[in-house]
Amino acid sequence: LSLFPRSIDFLNGNPVFGFDQGREYLAAQNIVVNHKPILIGTEIGAGVAGISGIFQGPVYYYLLTIPFILFSGNPVGGVLLMLLFGLASIYFGFFFGKKLFGLIGGILIALLFPISPILISQSRFIWSPNPPTLFILLSFFFFYLFIKDRKNLYIFLASFFAGFIYNFEIAISVPLSLSIILYSPFLIRKKIKGYFYLILGLLVAYLPMIAFETRHGFLGIKGIFSYLFSNKGAPSSAYFRFIPDHFNAFLNNFHNTFTVNNPDVSYVFMAVVLAGSIYFLIREKNKTFKIFFIFLLIIIPVNFFVFSFLRNAVYDYYLTDLSICYIFLFSYLIYSLFNRKFYPLGILSMFFVTLLVLIGLISSIKTSAFDYSDYGATAKLKGKLDAIDYIYRDSKGKRFNLLVFSPPVYTYPYDYLLDWYGKRKYGFIPGKERQGVVYLLIEKDPSQPWTYQGWLKTVIKKGKIIKTVTLPSGFIVQEREM
């Protein structure tokens, strides 16, 4: 259940390699090959989220240098890194579940994690929002230990890992950090030293961002204020206009956490998990359990409050912490049913878990069998490499220029692959001039397949068309004489 559905893109050597993956591999290459350290990560939303000047942390790029070195730049190595993060999360989920509920509870979580569609997708392609699951679990784990033992080291580590997630996805890090800040005073109370360790953990985690902000005139803070209070763009009423969409995003996040194919059944299931957890928490005699699982419940409205200020869509990968909360809350509900001797409902819940596992197993087999042999059109690595091979071979060893049309405008994946693959295999990187022999590599936009025509008419304009070929991947290659 864990390995099979997550390893397909590594085994077939054909992962998705698009805009984000190309940009991230160029950053890793810059660190390793050009020896240029990077102090910030990607700007949030790749610079088009509406909030300017806020950057993810740089740690993800440095992690990516490990497979870059071990696999000599082959992007397949990055998929292995994601796979290892996914497997480590499942193992740690089992370890944490065992500590909470005993061996059976650990096995239950170790069954729910592997079949979760959201968590499976994290292991299947190279992307900075995919590793945080492990660090979310670490934050939860140390917060649980702090509740249990009240040692300041644990609150430091809990807040540190919550903040550390900003290196991968700041949209997860901020609500989780805020949840810890809001909830901790009920535990720390008047112990000043506890607050010191709490704040210290966050400061250490966010130190690269703090240093960057200080050196650049608080660029990110200005960007946030501009986004929240500027009249440019959407009016203040736009915040309320997006709330129904955000609510649906939260519902869909629960739906995508479990293998319940019917949305209506999923929403009923969500109500049962939340209502059942609250019911048993009101009656919970284990104080540590009560405090910890109330914390998991509180994370849900805190996330909704934070994202209520967002005039953009809320994506599933913003809510990974909630997916983990739901799995643990569902496990707590089952544990409570048996612990309080609600045996008929407990047995019914285990049948439901068995059904979820069977659906997950069947889905994994079908999806994996299809994806293993899926060529992937223009989105995956093989399609791009085959297009590059075609152009080099068609040139018969002669130097040429290459211009690329890509729907995201930026050509990061092609820039990287021409450097890593084209240069190594054929000995040179094509130029980008509009003179001599010029090849046009065109990636059609699936939603607007005609848009490249405007690029040909406004950007390229000139040149005698020698030939135009559509490759099996869907790429259009056109040779021109300028």
Side-chain angles (χ1 to χ4, degrees):
L1 284 173
S2 300
L3 184 62
F4 184 60
R6 288 167 169 78
S7 60
I8 296 303
D9 299 272
F10 174 71
L11 294 175
N12 69 5
N14 191 27
V16 170
F17 197 76
F19 171 87
D20 295 291
Q21 292 74 35
R23 180 195 61 219
E24 291 161 358
Y25 255 82
L26 282 171
Q29 181 188 55
N30 206 30
I31 295 170
V32 175
V33 178
N34 301 326
H35 308 293
K36 292 184 177 180
I38 295 174
L39 301 178
I40 56 171
T42 311
E43 189 172 13
I44 60 170
V48 293
I51 310 175
S52 61
I54 301 179
F55 297 84
Q56 320 277 17
V59 169
Y60 173 70
Y61 287 157
Y62 288 96
L63 278 174
L64 206 56
T65 62
I66 299 171
F68 180 90
I69 294 169
L70 294 177
F71 285 78
S72 301
N74 191 330
V76 173
V79 187
L80 178 60
L81 178 67
M82 299 298 115
L83 171 62
L84 293 176
F85 266 108
L87 295 178
S89 299
I90 293 167
Y91 175 78
F92 193 80
F94 163 75
F95 169 78
F96 192 8
K98 183 181 176 184
K99 197 165 187 70
L100 285 169
F101 309 118
L103 179 61
I104 301 301
I107 292 172
L108 175 61
I109 288 177
L111 284 171
L112 294 174
F113 266 58
I115 62 173
S116 173
I118 288 177
L119 302 185
I120 290 174
S121 67
Q122 292 178 349
S123 299
R124 293 203 48 182
F125 65 103
I126 314 155
W127 200 22
S128 60
N130 288 347
T133 296
L134 178 61
F135 303 107
I136 295 168
L137 282 168
L138 285 167
S139 181
F140 285 0
F141 177 68
F142 286 114
F143 197 74
Y144 167 76
L145 291 182
F146 177 69
I147 294 168
K148 186 179 179 183
D149 299 330
R150 303 299 168 97
K151 292 182 180 179
N152 290 325
L153 175 63
Y154 294 146
I155 192 62
F156 168 82
L157 291 171
S159 62
F160 169 78
F161 282 112
F164 183 76
I165 295 166
Y166 106 93
N167 286 284
F168 308 95
E169 182 52 65
I170 199 167
I172 300 172
S173 179
V174 170
L176 181 53
S177 299
L178 184 59
S179 299
I180 292 174
I181 291 171
L182 292 174
Y183 199 65
S184 291
F186 295 100
L187 306 174
I188 299 172
R189 300 185 185 276
K190 296 180 180 180
K191 297 177 182 178
I192 303 300
K193 202 172 182 181
Y195 294 104
F196 170 78
Y197 278 91
L198 167 67
I199 301 303
L200 182 63
L202 292 171
L203 287 176
V204 173
Y206 282 106
L207 190 59
M209 175 184 279
I210 295 168
F212 179 81
E213 282 290 284
T214 304
R215 290 183 59 186
H216 294 84
F218 300 100
L219 189 65
I221 293 174
K222 291 177 181 176
I224 292 173
F225 273 90
S226 177
Y227 180 83
L228 292 176
F229 303 113
S230 174
N231 291 324
K232 296 177 181 179
S236 58
S237 60
Y239 292 114
F240 300 101
R241 181 168 60 85
F242 276 93
I243 285 179
D245 293 334
H246 294 170
F247 183 74
N248 288 331
F250 276 65
L251 293 177
N252 290 332
N253 171 253
F254 185 93
H255 174 65
N256 294 329
T257 299
F258 298 96
T259 52
V260 181
N261 295 327
N262 187 302
D264 293 330
V265 174
S266 181
Y267 301 151
V268 173
F269 179 34
M270 182 178 185
V272 169
V273 169
L274 296 179
S277 299
I278 292 169
Y279 173 82
F280 283 115
L281 281 171
I282 291 170
R283 291 157 177 78
E284 182 60 65
K285 295 179 181 179
N286 184 323
K287 195 171 182 180
T288 301
F289 265 40
K290 190 165 192 168
I291 295 171
F292 177 68
F293 284 101
I294 288 174
F295 168 68
L296 296 188
L297 283 169
I298 283 174
I299 293 174
I300 301 169
V302 170
N303 268 266
F304 195 86
F305 170 77
V306 170
F307 292 123
S308 68
F309 294 95
L310 195 66
R311 296 194 300 264
N312 308 83
V314 173
Y315 298 103
D316 257 350
Y317 57 88
Y318 292 0
L319 305 174
T320 303
D321 54 337
L322 297 192
S323 295
I324 298 169
C325 288
Y326 297 139
I327 290 173
F328 273 87
L329 287 168
F330 181 43
S331 301
Y332 169 72
L333 176 59
I334 295 174
Y335 167 83
S336 298
L337 287 171
F338 283 101
N339 193 45
R340 291 184 171 271
K341 299 180 181 180
F342 287 75
Y343 294 124
L345 289 175
I347 293 169
L348 183 64
S349 68
M350 291 310 296
F351 274 116
F352 186 67
V353 170
T354 304
L355 180 63
L356 291 179
V357 172
L358 287 174
I359 294 171
L361 179 62
I362 294 167
S363 176
S364 293
I365 292 171
K366 286 183 177 179
T367 303
S368 300
F370 175 81
D371 288 351
Y372 185 82
S373 57
D374 179 33
Y375 186 55
T378 61
K380 291 193 172 184
L381 185 63
K382 285 183 180 178
K384 288 181 168 65
L385 295 184
D386 287 347
I388 290 170
D389 279 329
Y390 172 84
I391 294 170
Y392 272 102
R393 289 169 185 165
D394 191 73
S395 71
K396 297 179 173 61
K398 296 180 181 178
R399 296 275 175 167
F400 60 90
N401 290 290
L402 175 64
L403 302 175
V404 179
F405 173 82
S406 179
V409 180
Y410 296 102
T411 57
Y412 297 138
Y414 306 97
D415 296 339
Y416 177 76
L417 293 176
L418 287 167
D419 193 321
W420 164 69
Y421 181 77
K423 182 180 179 181
R424 184 182 62 175
K425 187 172 182 178
Y426 298 101
F428 70 95
I429 299 174
K432 296 183 179 181
E433 305 297 324
R434 292 180 178 83
Q435 61 183 30
V437 177
V438 177
Y439 284 92
L440 308 178
L441 177 59
I442 299 168
E443 175 192 344
K444 293 168 70 175
D445 186 341
S447 61
Q448 297 176 311
W450 62 86
T451 50
Y452 76 92
Q453 297 285 357
W455 180 71
L456 292 176
K457 293 176 182 177
T458 59
V459 178
I460 304 303
K461 298 180 184 178
K462 301 178 181 178
K464 178 184 177 183
I465 298 175
I466 307 300
K467 62 179 174 181
T468 302
V469 177
T470 300
L471 302 179
S473 59
F475 278 110
I476 298 173
V477 177
Q478 189 175 97
E479 181 185 358
R480 292 195 179 198
E481 184 69 42
M482 294 289 193

